[in-house]
Amino acid sequence: MGNPVQRPLPDIEDPLYQAHFQGLKDQQLRVQQCDACGQLQWPPRDLCKQCHGDRFHWPVMPDQAVVYTYSVVYRAPHPWFKEHLPYAIVVAELENGLRLLGNAFGADVEKIQCGVRVKAHFQHDEDSGVCFLRWVPTTS
Amino acid sequence: MSGYQPDTAAIAGIGETEYTRGTDKSGLQLLMEASLKACADAGIESDAVDGLVMTSRVGTNEDFVAGLGITDLKFHAHIKIGGASPVAGLHLACHAVASGIAERVLVSAGRNAYSSMRLGATDSGPRVVWPGDDIRRNLEYPYGMIAPMQWYSLHANRWFHETNASREGMATVALNTRRHAHLNPRAWFRDRPMSREDYDASPMLVTPFKLLDVCLETDGAAAILVTRADAARRAGGKPPVYVAATAEGHPDSPDDLSNRPDILGMGIGKAAPRALDIAGIRLDELDFAEIYDCFTFIVLRQLEEIGFCQRGEAPDFVANGRIALGGELPLNTHGGLLSQAHISGMNHVVEAVRQLRGDAGQAQVAGAHLGLVTGYGDFGDGAIAILHN
Ligand SMILES: [Zn+2]
């Protein structure tokens, strides 16, 4: 075939996720907030878990977080990730308790631990037009 | 109140195919073979089955009606909570016979996972449809969170962080389970030793899981036949194994681990107190336990959430031979998913029945009277059964 392996891609037009993916392109972390009661929720859902409202807006969250949990992967579950081994999957918790999942790549991934402070980086992929979230440890 | 009186239902028959790596049979053929054996073991004709609970991705009720020659199917259900499905299927079957919807309910599980992986599937994407498909496709697969060992590692790494649990527990479970497989002629790894050095040297796949922390892929199927206990006694076959209680439970946000408020929370933690209450027993009365073991660590976590010990203490609980044959709580006496076969945990139910019939061969727990079986699936769904003879 000769085609390079494509990274698994999200559906950035999915109505429930579109604002989030546009946010990543704009270098912003946007999550779902209920118009009626103000509940923040992640992952996005059709109904507000608190009041069952179905209208939402997408406020920007701070880009600082703390590692809640993580995974360091040594055997790729998909061919695209083979050349990035080992890579980390990082679930980072914002101050308001929401947790967003992103990657960490590079030499330092084995140093990732619960409680480590991280900052959001936004990695734009020209070919797919998708921007991916990376969590990068901060030194302070 | 559950509406289920202890010992209303019984497991009257068990059936298993050979467990292999490589088969010419389809998943459906394997399911039929195990089902026919379960009927024969119960001493009933397969056409008299009148209820079906299916827990595999292959096989519809129509397939079973045709394959078994069922003349009057009164009830069927298909359960889709991964590895918790077989025990949840037993749970449903018990209530079905107790309520009278059906009298002879077949619960089946099976897969030709090993052969179908080799023949058709590629490593280019997920093979199993998980709950919360939109969440998976949009927020997890793009980040390389694709395989069960990766999701469960999120749970495991947080567990180590919160509790400072000993790292020794996973090795204890792996080695104990393999030793038990050596006592079981039906176990895939019956002849394959595992030393502590083998465990330590096995490659890290995803922190904290080494290759030897992860279950087998095999081909095979298993089935059980559930009837009312009085009917099982009248049938005059093997002595029935009585179902004292069953329950299922689901974690908070069952389609999403990352934002589960307490990522250590599991369905089994909700189900276990219900089952113990219905059965009217205490955990220290159990003679053995067959605990779902897709990963070594999930055995430890279930022991904690069931209440055998506090969070973080399971590595100490399983130490010093407590879970070995001859110990206080022999665990996974057949070799489990780790070392017998991956039949989604139906092999755990089958083994519990063998123990309670006194048919477990070299792995027989002396004086086995009361046993526990669990299932674990998807992102923390749980099911539990308490059985006795
Ligand atoms: Zn609301």
Side-chain angles (χ1 to χ4, degrees), chain A residues 34 36-39 48-53:
Chain A
C34 176
C37 79
Q39 173 77 34
C48 168
K49 65 184 176 189
Q50 184 156 285
C51 77
H52 303 148

Side-chain angles (χ1 to χ4, degrees), chain A residues 7-12 14 17 20-21 24 42-45 67-79 81-82 87-89 91 97-103 114-115 131-134, chain B residues 123-126 134-147 149-151 153-158 161-162 167 203-207 211 253 255-264:
Chain A
R7 181 173 182 165
L9 295 174
D11 177 6
I12 60 174
D14 184 324
Y17 291 80
H20 173 71
F21 289 118
L24 294 182
W42 196 253
R45 295 183 183 280
V67 176
Y68 176 76
T69 190
Y70 67 97
S71 179
V72 181
V73 181
Y74 295 89
R75 181 171 291 185
H78 179 283
F81 291 92
K82 277 181 185 159
Y87 68 94
I89 298 158
V91 176
L98 293 187
R99 301 178 197 141
L100 279 77
L101 188 148
N103 281 128
C114 298
C131 191
F132 298 94
L133 175 60
R134 286 174 75 159
Chain B
D123 63 347
S124 63
D134 288 350
I135 302 171
R136 309 283 86 75
R137 286 186 300 103
N138 285 318
L139 300 179
E140 295 182 347
Y141 297 157
Y143 295 99
M145 174 70 84
I146 295 174
M149 69 176 81
Q150 299 171 336
W151 282 300
S153 71
L154 299 181
H155 176 175
N157 286 322
R158 186 69 193 181
H161 174 75
E162 285 191 17
R167 305 257 165 183
M204 185 69 82
L205 305 182
V206 174
T207 49
L211 179 63
S253 71
D255 61 353
D256 179 53
L257 267 171
S258 295
N259 274 279
R260 184 171 300 164
D262 172 19
I263 201 173
L264 305 190

Side-chain angles (χ1 to χ4, degrees), chain B residues 110-354:
Chain B
R111 42 207 263 160
N112 59 355
Y114 185 77
S115 292
S116 61
M117 261 174 62
R118 280 160 49 98
L119 294 174
T122 68
D123 63 347
S124 63
R127 295 186 306 275
V128 179
V129 176
W130 290 82
D133 191 49
D134 288 350
I135 302 171
R136 309 283 86 75
R137 286 186 300 103
N138 285 318
L139 300 179
E140 295 182 347
Y141 297 157
Y143 295 99
M145 174 70 84
I146 295 174
M149 69 176 81
Q150 299 171 336
W151 282 300
Y152 301 162
S153 71
L154 299 181
H155 176 175
N157 286 322
R158 186 69 193 181
W159 175 57
F160 282 121
H161 174 75
E162 285 191 17
T163 66
N164 208 21
S166 163
R167 305 257 165 183
E168 283 296 300
M170 299 200 306
T172 305
V173 171
L175 294 163
N176 182 72
T177 311
R178 181 63 61 87
R179 280 193 293 271
H180 288 168
H182 295 154
L183 306 174
N184 181 356
R186 299 173 203 85
W188 178 254
F189 281 144
R190 59 190 172 269
D191 298 322
R192 183 93 59 94
M194 184 202 300
S195 66
R196 178 59 198 249
E197 291 69 32
D198 295 331
Y199 176 83
D200 288 339
S202 83
M204 185 69 82
L205 305 182
V206 174
T207 49
F209 305 138
K210 293 169 171 288
L211 179 63
L212 290 175
D213 289 308
V214 183
C215 61
L216 281 161
E217 284 289 5
T218 48
D219 302 318
I224 56 174
L225 192 89
V226 177
T227 67
R228 287 187 63 94
D230 45 14
R233 282 192 299 270
R234 279 198 307 275
K238 298 226 176 192
V241 166
Y242 298 95
V243 181
T246 56
E248 79 176 61
H250 301 262
D252 300 337
S253 71
D255 61 353
D256 179 53
L257 267 171
S258 295
N259 274 279
R260 184 171 300 164
D262 172 19
I263 201 173
L264 305 190
M266 298 169 68
I268 198 83
K270 300 179 185 179
R274 286 197 277 271
L276 291 165
D277 184 52
I278 295 164
I281 64 141
R282 298 184 317 272
L283 291 172
D284 62 12
E285 296 178 74
L286 290 162
D287 299 311
F288 65 91
E290 314 295 352
I291 305 288
Y292 194 88
D293 59 336
C294 51
F295 293 86
T296 51
F297 113 101
I298 210 68
V299 173
L300 302 168
R301 290 296 300 116
Q302 287 175 91
L303 291 171
E304 294 174 2
E305 297 301 304
I306 290 168
F308 284 101
C309 56
Q310 298 294 309
R311 287 181 176 180
E313 291 178 356
D316 306 317
F317 180 85
V318 299
N320 302 317
R322 179 182 262 148
I323 61 169
L325 194 63
E328 191 182 310
L329 186 72
L331 195 143
N332 293 353
T333 46
H334 54 329
L337 304 180
L338 289 166
S339 286
Q340 186 197 21
H342 195 325
I343 311 298
S344 304
M346 189 61 96
N347 46 328
H348 292 50
V349 181
V350 167
E351 171 67 7
V353 170
R354 285 214 171 90

